[in-house]
Amino acid sequence: ISTHIQWVLVVGGENTKRVGMRDRSGGPYAVPSGSTLENSNSPAVKSLTFCLRAQFVHIQAALTPQSLSAFWTALSMRLYDILVTRLLQHYFVSMVGAVKLSRDVEALRSVAMLAGTDHQHWDMLRELLTVYMTPPNALKTILVGPEGDPNSGKGLFGQAGKVQALVFMSRRIDHRVKINNVMTKSTWVIELLEDLGIPDPTDGVVNIGLYSAQSLRNKRLT
């Protein structure tokens, strides 16, 4: 099932022709501003959620309630990991694309919650998506709360952690701009990080494993 999920989301989804995309290499959520979103979900997510719901009926009939809960929770975590890994390594998200991404996350979360009890990783992802829907001049409040204190424990820094919030923010399509054929950080990114007094965690190697559903679970349990 994990292989099937990977194929539909990555191979199937990214090989689908997407009219009006700014840059196919930016992934399905690099949608140009002013674009109209005709469908509620991307074709890949529609296909995947349909297949998983169909499979769920047979899996439910074959397993005991306890086994079903354990199995579907594991599947929920794997589904999350595949999506987040692709997002943090390959996708860029525009403000319009963020709406599409949010709809896809809701659809995936819905099917992930058909059984099992531990799906809090999806709740955290829903919160993190706000970094893509917020204009640059309002991001500080989203990240640290209205007082503007990075150590207040409020905002996404308090909910998800400073590093995780900034790593997700780095996938904004406007996080970097091309100047003289060289990609460099946008001025607003530099000014925001300086204002917060925090180094950019994406300047070094980003360990994607730290953002897995299991890592989030471990943090809650410690």
Side-chain angles (χ1 to χ4, degrees):
I1 291 180
S2 291
T3 302
H4 177 72
I5 291 172
Q6 181 83 20
W7 186 88
V8 174
L9 281 183
V10 178
V11 181
E14 293 170 24
N15 284 343
T16 302
K17 182 178 180 181
R18 292 177 288 275
V19 178
M21 178 173 289
R22 174 186 171 189
D23 182 353
R24 287 188 64 182
S25 65
Y29 307 111
V31 183
S33 59
S35 301
T36 301
L37 298 178
E38 298 179 357
N39 301 311
S40 58
N41 296 116
S42 63
V45 169
K46 275 187 176 181
S47 298
L48 180 58
T49 53
F50 175 83
C51 292
L52 288 176
R53 287 183 183 278
Q55 290 296 321
F56 178 78
V57 176
H58 302 292
I59 294 171
Q60 185 180 37
L63 298 178
T64 64
Q66 184 177 4
S67 296
L68 174 65
S69 178
F71 177 86
W72 210 257
T73 296
L75 185 142
S76 169
M77 296 172 70
R78 183 63 184 139
L79 179 59
Y80 172 93
D81 289 348
I82 291 171
L83 176 64
V84 167
T85 297
R86 202 66 190 169
L87 170 62
L88 296 182
Q89 290 186 325
H90 300 282
Y91 294 164
F92 292 99
V93 187
S94 66
M95 290 187 70
V96 176
V99 177
K100 185 177 181 181
L101 175 57
S102 178
R103 292 173 180 174
D104 281 352
V105 167
E106 288 303 316
L108 294 171
R109 176 178 177 271
S110 177
V111 76
M113 294 183 70
L114 288 174
T117 56
D118 189 352
H119 303 289
Q120 293 182 39
H121 41 280
W122 291 105
D123 296 331
M124 181 60 69
L125 181 57
R126 294 165 88 192
E127 295 297 326
L128 286 164
L129 294 185
T130 58
V131 298
Y132 306 124
M133 302 177 181
T134 307
N137 60 2
L139 272 172
K140 183 178 179 181
T141 300
I142 294 295
L143 292 172
V144 303
E147 290 83 6
D149 180 4
N151 300 310
S152 67
K154 297 181 180 179
L156 287 177
F157 277 16
Q159 293 174 291
K162 297 176 183 178
V163 173
Q164 181 164 227
L166 292 176
V167 168
F168 272 81
M169 187 185 77
S170 73
R171 306 314 297 176
R172 286 177 61 111
I173 203 167
D174 59 352
H175 192 270
R176 291 181 177 270
V177 292
K178 183 178 286 188
I179 300 176
N180 296 326
N181 291 321
V182 177
M183 296 301 294
T184 185
K185 290 177 191 173
S186 297
T187 301
W188 68 262
V189 176
I190 297 172
E191 292 177 347
L192 176 61
L193 292 172
E194 289 179 349
D195 188 19
L196 295 173
I198 297 174
D200 188 348
T202 64
D203 284 343
V205 177
V206 176
N207 183 355
I208 299 300
L210 296 177
Y211 309 103
S212 68
Q214 185 63 54
S215 291
L216 292 177
R217 174 187 279 185
N218 292 343
K219 288 179 182 178
R220 292 197 307 271
L221 297 176
T222 56

